[in-house]
Amino acid sequence: MKKLLTFVFSCLIILLLSGAILFGLINTSYVTPIAQWSINLFWPNKIQFQRAEYDYPFHLRLFAPTVQLGYQPITFAQMDIWLNQHPYYAGKWHIDSILLDGANITDRLPSIDWSQTVILHQLAMHNINLTEDDYQIEGLSLQVKNPQWNMPQQKIPFGELQLSAKTLNWQGEQFDQLLIDADYKQQDSTIYGFSFAWRSGQISGQAEQYPAGWSLVNVTVNHLDLSKSVSNQLQYKIQSLPTNLINHINSLDVLNSNISWQGIELINTDLSLEDVQLGSPWPYSGEVSAHADTLTWHGLQWVDPNLALNFSPQTIRVSDFSAGFWQGNIQLSGDISPNDVHLTNLSAQGLKWYGEHQSDWQDLPLTIPNWHSLTIDHLSLDNLQLIQLAKRPFWQLTGLNIEGQNTQFMQNNQLGLWNGSLKVSANSASIGDTRTSQAILEMNSNDGIWQLSRAFLPFEHGYLDANAQWDFKQHSGPWQLNIHTDSVPIGILNQFINLPFKFEAVADTDMQLSGLGGSTAVIQHTLNGKVSANLREGTLLLEYDNHTIAQPFELNKLQLTADRGRITIPEIKPDGIGFDATFGGSFDLADSKAGTWTLTDHIDNCQTVSFDIWHNTTQVNQCRKN
């Protein structure tokens, strides 16, 4: 018994002496080889270092360690390891934390996945510069609780993480002061908070991951500046991202920002999106509101615009849109779908458009979208002014008012007044030198049967009165037109009809025409009716053989008949001092070569000049002298 006690006591002494010696050694210059030998026991040829330090009881610091993790070796400035107070249990070594400090990495972040033999409770990295093909990170710091690498190509381990970086460059875009606090998982991750600076703006918020994609939560963007050139580049870069990366926006506020995107430029805009489910061609659901100092679209500038939208799978509901435009203002509300537009209200007041240059025309959105239908319940355009001075004939409309009720302007992609009533009036209108004041047009349509119930255009010494009907819904489009004029100036026709002479006159006419309007060819084949006219106070400007003659004239009881596009004008002699002429002819609208319509002037006994109106030619005939 005594010998046994002596043996046990001796063993304890030896163990105590061994522990004392080992403890003493690890606090001397022998700590480096002891640490290298110990690490190689568990991770052979994985970690090499220049020097080690030990802080009792669980902290080991390695200087200039080189870590081999299956890719290229990575050398850090320093590596700190904190062992668990129970370093080995349940068949595995437990490490509380590893800190990797200072490195330039050109492949990917190291995958410290030794889960077969080691459980790592926390991984931290500090002052890391990381470069890959499409992005670079400078000054990266990362802390991950319970890191897990589940995929060979995984860049960042799963776990509760905090990430910061001085700069992140992705495809030429620089993000500064990046901060992320997240629970990163293989699915259903959560970003508790993120923030960064980009393009002069500050962006912050939260996000949640769902099977369908990420949802942005309480995101705020302040003072962002996206120019047109930048936005064009971004569109190509965004195409490289997964299409379902972000599929929902819980809340997004853009404040005090300048944004140019897909032809729309917003200056100093505030934009809010709530519960937006993204889809194509527009969001499936959600609310959007916006305000800006100016909005520019297709060269047109809108001042102080306000917009409120509600999205549903097939419809955008415009709750309100208002803006200053062309020195006036405009408001609208209604529903827009991919094929149809139904506005409950469209109103504008005081708009002024001056077309002084050809470029002014180019800025106008003259192309009509390919909508199936366009309906406006209440249309009110008041006191508009339109002036066109870019090309002749010049024209202007002043004090233009347009009022419509239950109007449908498109049906089956065909433009026209298909339903509803419309009233158009103008205080003053002119084209060239022809002017009218207090003109009014009233029309209505029922299921494609359009009627011009009243058209009254007063002139300085006369007026024009007309009514018409056109059946849109029939493919053949039967129509009829009745016009009566009294002392109406008709010289403006010189601007639109190519004639071998010029003329000025005032006309008293009665016109009744009808036909089918399916196409231009159909009209030419089906035109019927008659026109009777008296032309007074007229002047013909006749030019031939370097001669110019201004010939006063009158033309009374002119008759024109149309039968299926064949026009007949019985020969008649214009009245005028020293004017010996005949006027008349017949031709077919469907045959531009056949027929004749002439004004023949007998200058003297040996010369006649024939002006062929139908073919726009002039012929001078000389008689033979004996």
Side-chain angles (χ1 to χ4, degrees):
M1 185 63 152
K2 183 178 179 181
K3 292 182 178 180
L4 178 61
L5 291 174
T6 301
F7 176 75
V8 171
F9 181 74
S10 300
C11 289
L12 289 174
I13 293 297
I14 293 172
L15 288 173
L16 287 173
L17 288 173
S18 299
I21 293 171
L22 180 61
F23 181 76
L25 288 174
I26 63 176
N27 284 279
T28 67
S29 59
Y30 293 100
V31 66
T32 298
I34 290 173
Q36 185 69 72
W37 174 78
S38 301
I39 291 173
N40 284 337
L41 285 177
F42 306 110
W43 308 301
N45 302 318
K46 291 290 186 182
I47 301 176
Q48 303 292 326
F49 50 88
Q50 294 180 358
R51 185 169 61 87
E53 289 182 357
Y54 173 72
D55 294 329
Y56 178 82
F58 305 115
H59 180 203
L60 179 65
R61 180 179 295 112
L62 309 179
F63 294 92
T66 298
V67 182
Q68 178 66 51
L69 299 168
Y71 310 113
Q72 62 182 3
I74 303 171
T75 299
F76 295 89
Q78 184 175 303
M79 180 177 182
D80 290 77
I81 303 173
W82 285 266
L83 295 174
N84 188 271
Q85 60 181 345
H86 303 291
Y88 188 83
Y89 63 89
K92 293 186 179 182
W93 292 93
H94 288 251
I95 299 177
D96 277 352
S97 180
I98 292 179
L99 169 62
L100 301 170
D101 190 3
N104 294 312
I105 303 174
T106 58
D107 187 8
R108 62 172 69 97
L109 291 175
S111 173
I112 310 177
D113 186 14
W114 306 318
S115 58
Q116 298 299 320
T117 57
V118 176
I119 292 179
L120 177 61
H121 295 286
Q122 180 173 279
L123 170 66
M125 297 185 183
H126 180 256
N127 196 25
I128 304 296
N129 297 327
L130 176 62
T131 300
E132 286 205 20
D133 292 337
D134 57 349
Y135 72 89
Q136 302 82 40
I137 302 177
E138 180 182 347
L140 171 67
S141 292
L142 175 67
Q143 182 174 300
V144 186
K145 184 177 180 181
N146 298 320
Q148 297 292 327
W149 285 263
N150 294 354
M151 296 173 287
Q153 300 301 321
Q154 186 173 338
K155 298 180 183 297
I156 297 178
F158 296 124
E160 297 179 17
L161 64 83
Q162 291 81 43
L163 182 150
S164 66
K166 182 180 178 182
T167 61
L168 164 63
N169 282 279
W170 172 73
Q171 295 189 5
E173 292 298 319
Q174 179 170 311
F175 306 86
D176 298 315
Q177 305 304 320
L178 175 63
L179 295 172
I180 298 176
D181 180 10
D183 184 4
Y184 180 38
K185 298 183 289 187
Q186 190 163 358
Q187 59 184 13
D188 299 335
S189 299
T190 300
I191 299 178
Y192 300 113
F194 68 84
S195 65
F196 57 89
W198 176 57
R199 293 289 177 182
S200 304
Q202 295 293 326
I203 296 95
S204 62
Q206 300 88 45
E208 297 176 342
Q209 186 186 33
Y210 296 93
W214 283 89
S215 173
L216 300 182
V217 181
N218 299 327
V219 175
T220 301
V221 180
N222 201 357
H223 291 100
L224 182 65
D225 190 0
L226 289 182
S227 65
K228 181 178 180 181
S229 59
V230 170
S231 67
N232 290 338
Q233 297 172 10
L234 283 177
Q235 290 183 49
Y236 293 104
K237 297 174 182 178
I238 290 175
Q239 291 174 2
S240 66
L241 297 174
T243 56
N244 61 342
L245 181 64
I246 298 174
N247 82 315
H248 180 261
I249 299 175
N250 180 271
S251 176
L252 171 62
D253 293 312
V254 179
L255 307 173
N256 309 306
S257 297
N258 302 326
I259 299 175
S260 179
W261 193 256
Q262 294 187 344
I264 297 176
E265 183 177 8
L266 296 165
I267 300 300
N268 194 25
T269 185
D270 294 335
L271 176 67
S272 177
L273 288 79
E274 297 289 337
D275 195 22
V276 175
Q277 186 70 45
L278 299 178
S280 180
W282 52 57
Y284 294 126
S285 63
E287 298 179 5
V288 176
S289 59
H291 172 266
D293 286 352
T294 60
L295 181 156
T296 304
W297 175 66
H298 287 293
L300 302 176
Q301 188 176 83
W302 308 73
V303 180
D304 200 29
N306 287 283
L307 175 66
L309 303 177
N310 294 84
F311 290 94
S312 62
Q314 291 296 322
T315 303
I316 299 175
R317 172 154 292 177
V318 184
S319 302
D320 176 64
F321 173 78
S322 62
F325 183 64
W326 284 351
Q327 304 180 51
N329 58 81
I330 187 169
Q331 307 88 32
L332 66 85
S333 60
D335 295 338
I336 301 173
S337 70
N339 298 316
D340 303 287
V341 174
H342 180 188
L343 300 182
T344 55
N345 175 72
L346 173 59
S347 60
Q349 302 81 34
L351 305 188
K352 297 179 176 64
W353 176 76
Y354 300 93
E356 298 180 285
H357 308 285
Q358 191 64 34
S359 59
D360 296 328
W361 285 97
Q362 298 171 355
D363 292 337
L364 295 177
L366 299 177
T367 302
I368 300 173
N370 192 29
W371 289 322
H372 180 271
S373 70
L374 169 61
T375 302
I376 305 175
D377 294 342
H378 177 68
L379 174 64
S380 178
L381 310 179
D382 300 324
N383 196 27
L384 312 186
Q385 184 176 31
L386 309 176
I387 298 176
Q388 190 283 124
L389 301 175
K391 56 183 180 180
R392 294 182 181 275
F394 304 147
W395 55 264
Q396 65 87 23
L397 291 166
T398 303
L400 175 65
N401 302 291
I402 303 174
E403 301 293 330
Q405 296 295 327
N406 302 316
T407 51
Q408 182 182 6
F409 291 105
M410 291 190 75
Q411 182 171 292
N412 298 322
N413 310 114
Q414 304 263 337
L415 187 63
L417 182 61
W418 288 84
N419 282 290
S421 60
L422 198 65
K423 181 179 179 181
V424 182
S425 63
N427 292 337
S428 174
S430 67
I431 182 167
D433 295 329
T434 304
R435 293 178 173 82
T436 179
S437 59
Q438 305 304 320
I440 187 169
L441 302 174
E442 294 180 357
M443 62 191 74
N444 60 81
S445 186
N446 183 15
D447 194 23
I449 301 177
W450 174 80
Q451 289 185 324
L452 177 66
S453 56
R454 184 187 184 196
F456 187 73
L457 282 70
F459 297 91
E460 184 177 3
H461 300 293
Y463 66 89
L464 180 149
D465 191 11
N467 61 75
Q469 181 172 304
W470 188 2
D471 190 346
F472 294 152
K473 69 178 182 179
Q474 293 192 45
H475 179 72
S476 58
W479 60 272
Q480 60 182 31
L481 172 65
N482 301 310
I483 298 177
H484 173 75
T485 69
D486 188 333
S487 301
V488 170
I490 59 172
I492 188 62
L493 295 177
N494 292 305
Q495 302 283 344
F496 302 100
I497 303 176
N498 196 12
L499 299 174
F501 53 80
K502 305 297 182 183
F503 69 96
E504 298 284 345
V506 295
D508 304 330
T509 63
D510 283 295
M511 182 184 305
Q512 299 86 36
L513 299 174
S514 63
L516 301 177
S519 65
T520 301
V522 172
I523 293 174
Q524 293 173 340
H525 282 88
T526 62
L527 179 66
N528 292 297
K530 60 181 181 179
V531 178
S532 59
N534 296 317
L535 308 183
R536 299 178 287 105
E537 303 172 17
T539 301
L540 282 170
L541 191 64
L542 307 176
E543 297 181 351
Y544 64 95
D545 281 355
N546 297 321
H547 292 83
T548 300
I549 298 176
Q551 175 63 57
F553 80 98
E554 290 190 355
L555 189 61
N556 297 311
K557 298 182 179 181
L558 172 66
Q559 301 292 324
L560 180 151
T561 60
D563 180 16
R564 299 179 184 179
R566 294 183 293 271
I567 310 300
T568 301
I569 305 171
E571 189 174 281
I572 189 173
K573 293 181 64 67
D575 295 328
I577 298 176
F579 191 30
D580 183 11
T582 56
F583 179 76
S586 62
F587 53 92
D588 192 338
L589 293 176
D591 187 352
S592 59
K593 297 181 179 180
T596 182
W597 178 14
T598 60
L599 171 67
T600 301
D601 186 10
H602 304 279
I603 304 301
D604 53 37
N605 291 331
C606 285
Q607 188 180 54
T608 62
V609 181
S610 180
F611 300 93
D612 191 333
I613 301 170
W614 182 237
H615 298 101
N616 190 29
T617 61
T618 301
Q619 183 176 352
V620 179
N621 297 312
Q622 302 286 347
C623 65
R624 292 182 179 179
K625 295 182 179 181
N626 295 327

